Amino acid sequence: MNVLILGSGGREHALTWKIKQSLLCDNLYVAPGNSGTSQIAENVKISVNDFEALKHFALEKQIDMIVVGPEDPLVNGVYDYFKNSKTTEHISVIGPSKVAAQLEGSKDFAKQFMFRHGIPTAAYESFTSETLEEGLSFLESLNPPYVLKADGLAAGKGVLILQDLAEAKTELKNMLVNAKFGEASTTVVIEEFLDGIELSCFVLTDGEDYKILPMAKDYKRIGEGDTGLNTGGMGAVSPVPFADEAFVKQIEDRVVKPTVAGLKKDNLPYKGFVFIGLINVNGEAKVIEYNVRMGDPETEVVIPRLESDLLELLVALDNGNLNSQNLSIDDRAATTVMLVSGGYPESYEKGKIIIGLKNVEDSLLFHAGAIDKDDEVVTSGGRVMAVTSYGKDFKEALKTCYASIEKITFDKMNYRKDIGFDL
Ligand code: AMP
Ligand code: GLY
């Protein structure tokens, strides 16, 4: 099979690494890819949102399957673009249709879906500029902290959690009236605050059946002890110690089953990964959000624990035979620590030469914001490199991660030294 992977982060390098190992895989391409994917596949200079260029490329190289990494092309309808044309409808696209991708593309859509299907989540109301006054009164009726969410995609920045009522009111106005997040905040979801510890659940579905992948937990804040600004993710662990068998069963029964049944009932075509962001509130799993893709950096710990052939699973998924597959999972823990550019998630410099990668023997290196330049690997983004290790438990795996990191350096390199601190 010829496979094209869309994206350029650590998640896509991990997916490429895994699919490359499949006996079913002939030619493997990544658009646009990075310095990690270039070592094991062919990078193609096409943007993930340039559907026409992707179509030409797919036809020229006789691509059989497209695996979509990030949410953007999914929310923009890449699935439908390929499925609605006679020349490309035979190509498998791993991901939801445009209408189903609203589970991530619109918080209001996702909340309505959850309420319609009885899936546990925070209470909420949605507001627009026309209902601003009602929104302000609604805030007055709540207790702090106040959770305000831009309805649309806002590059992970659209959620505000505020302690102060006056500030919450000002921000609601900024979002609805002053377009703080552009079109994404035309509608704002105001939500009940949930207090608990978060985890990420990944599901493969063909719209009919499902397979639950290993649970993971990511660390979003830049600072140690989960302080400071939000990032794309500074590290991750899998499995999640507090997600024992009973808790996973609860998630399956109360969240995964009604989600997959809901997709079918609502006629939302979906053949891909569902990422369910959960929070454990005193033993009750509640959904914080849906994403219609794998997580990053969770993929860098979940995929290394998958022993089954991922491409075989994806073929079965596309054929609607997911149920015929058995998942085989590595018992070991996997952890990843993200090396980031100094200054990230605020402004940072790029083009720093990364030294020492070849000296790392005990960890997997998934390149993220890193590209090839003049025979060197240089930084090209905020999150630069995910250092993944295995261990008998997450503590042992992390020890190996941190030992490997000692061998890598670049100017102003930063990383969190306390991944897993709360477990
Ligand atoms: P989201 O983009 O919906 O995942 O929100 C980003 C982050 O905000 C989540 O990972 C949570 O840490 C936090 N968050 C979102 N909604 C809530 C909520 N209702 N209660 C508490 N924290 C929340
Ligand atoms: N790690 C969180 C995300 O991928 O959205």
Side-chain angles (χ1 to χ4, degrees), residues 356-365 388-389 400 403-404 407:
L357 297 175
K358 292 211 167 70
N359 301 333
V360 174
E361 284 169 353
D362 300 331
S363 300
L364 296 163
L365 297 177
T388 295
S389 312
T400 307
S404 294
K407 299 177 178 170

Side-chain angles (χ1 to χ4, degrees), residues 71-72 75 104-107 148-160 175 179-188 230-232 289 291 293:
E71 63 276 14
D72 248 44
V75 173
E104 177 163 3
S106 164
K107 304 254 186 224
L148 272 49
K149 300 186 171 187
D151 177 56
L153 290 186
K157 297 194 170 68
V159 176
L160 301 178
M175 288 165 93
K180 176 167 176 143
F181 297 107
E183 259 192 48
S185 62
T186 308
T187 299
V188 171
N230 254 322
T231 71
E289 63 168 351
N291 296 302
R293 51 171 173 87

